Every structure is written in C-alpha cells, then in structure tokens.
Amino acid sequence: NRALRWTLIGDYQNNTGGSVSMTSRVKYGGTTVFSEAKNLVADATGRHGLILRGILSAQNATNAQVAWGEDSYFGITTNVNGIATNQNIGMAVHNAIAVDSTANQTFEITFQMAAADANTSARALVVHLELI
C-alpha cells in the first residue's frame, strides 16, 4: 500500500550537427515502468537540462503496481531572460505491472542513444528515490 517516487535532475549534450534520438527508461525488478524517446536538437554550445519524475504505486497487492512518469528536456532556444522556451515534455502511464514487491528488487534509470557517438551524452546529476 506504499509508493516509490523518483526525481532525476540531469543534462544532455548533442554536438553531432544533427538530431539524435535518446530513450530514457525506468525499470523496477527488470520490468520497464516508464519509457520515453526524444529527438535531441543539435547544439555545439553546451549541455541542456533534463528532468525525469514519476510514481510507482502498489495496487492493493504485493504483485500489482501502477506507474506514472514524466520527462522534460530543455532545448537551446532562449527568450530575452535567458530561459529555455522549447521544453519537450512526455508522459506515460503503465497500469499492468506485476513485480513481487516482497522480494528485493532493483530500481534502475537509464539513457540509451539510438547510435553510439562520442558527441552525445546524458547524465544524472541528482537522483532521489523516496518511499511514500
């Protein structure tokens, strides 16, 4: 009857000269509970922010969960105050998770680029996982 809430603050870079696809995933016990693909805009000037957050909640049984997740990727266009204006937000809900929560489980967040390239990267700067 409890829930896990995750928050990740990170950044990404795409210095390839073209758009690159990246998928962020959250897994619980080997089951993907959130997955969202983004096309990262090329920018040679530096890194840009990203945020992942969500909740994995028990659904009245130790082997039934539901999850909601959201990711926000901040781009390279800025307004007069220097604030990123082209934020790309994605959301997903998974309502049929069946992981045995009475056993130890791994909680994992990953980033996967569509192709290996030394000019693209994503990293987690801060990650919070809370039992609520």
Side-chain angles (χ1 to χ4, degrees), residues 10-118:
D11 60 16
Y12 70 91
Q13 182 174 20
N14 175 11
N15 192 16
T16 64
S19 181
V20 172
S21 178
M22 182 179 84
T23 302
S24 55
R25 289 185 183 88
V26 177
K27 294 182 180 181
Y28 175 65
T31 299
T32 301
V33 300
F34 175 80
S35 179
E36 184 75 24
K38 297 287 186 209
N39 286 320
L40 306 180
V41 177
D43 179 20
T45 63
R47 305 189 73 83
H48 301 285
L50 67 89
I51 299 169
L52 276 73
R53 59 185 154 229
I55 294 177
L56 173 70
S57 181
Q59 198 172 19
N60 296 321
T62 58
N63 64 347
Q65 299 88 21
V66 62
W68 162 84
E70 172 183 66
D71 61 0
S72 300
Y73 288 74
F74 301 90
I76 60 173
T77 303
T78 56
N79 65 18
V80 293
N81 297 316
I83 299 171
T85 57
N86 63 334
Q87 182 180 6
N88 189 333
I89 299 174
M91 287 188 250
V93 173
H94 191 323
N95 63 2
I97 304 164
V99 176
D100 180 3
S101 63
T102 64
N104 290 340
Q105 301 294 346
T106 300
F107 187 90
E108 178 180 40
I109 300 175
T110 61
F111 302 111
Q112 180 181 6
M113 300 297 177
D117 191 316

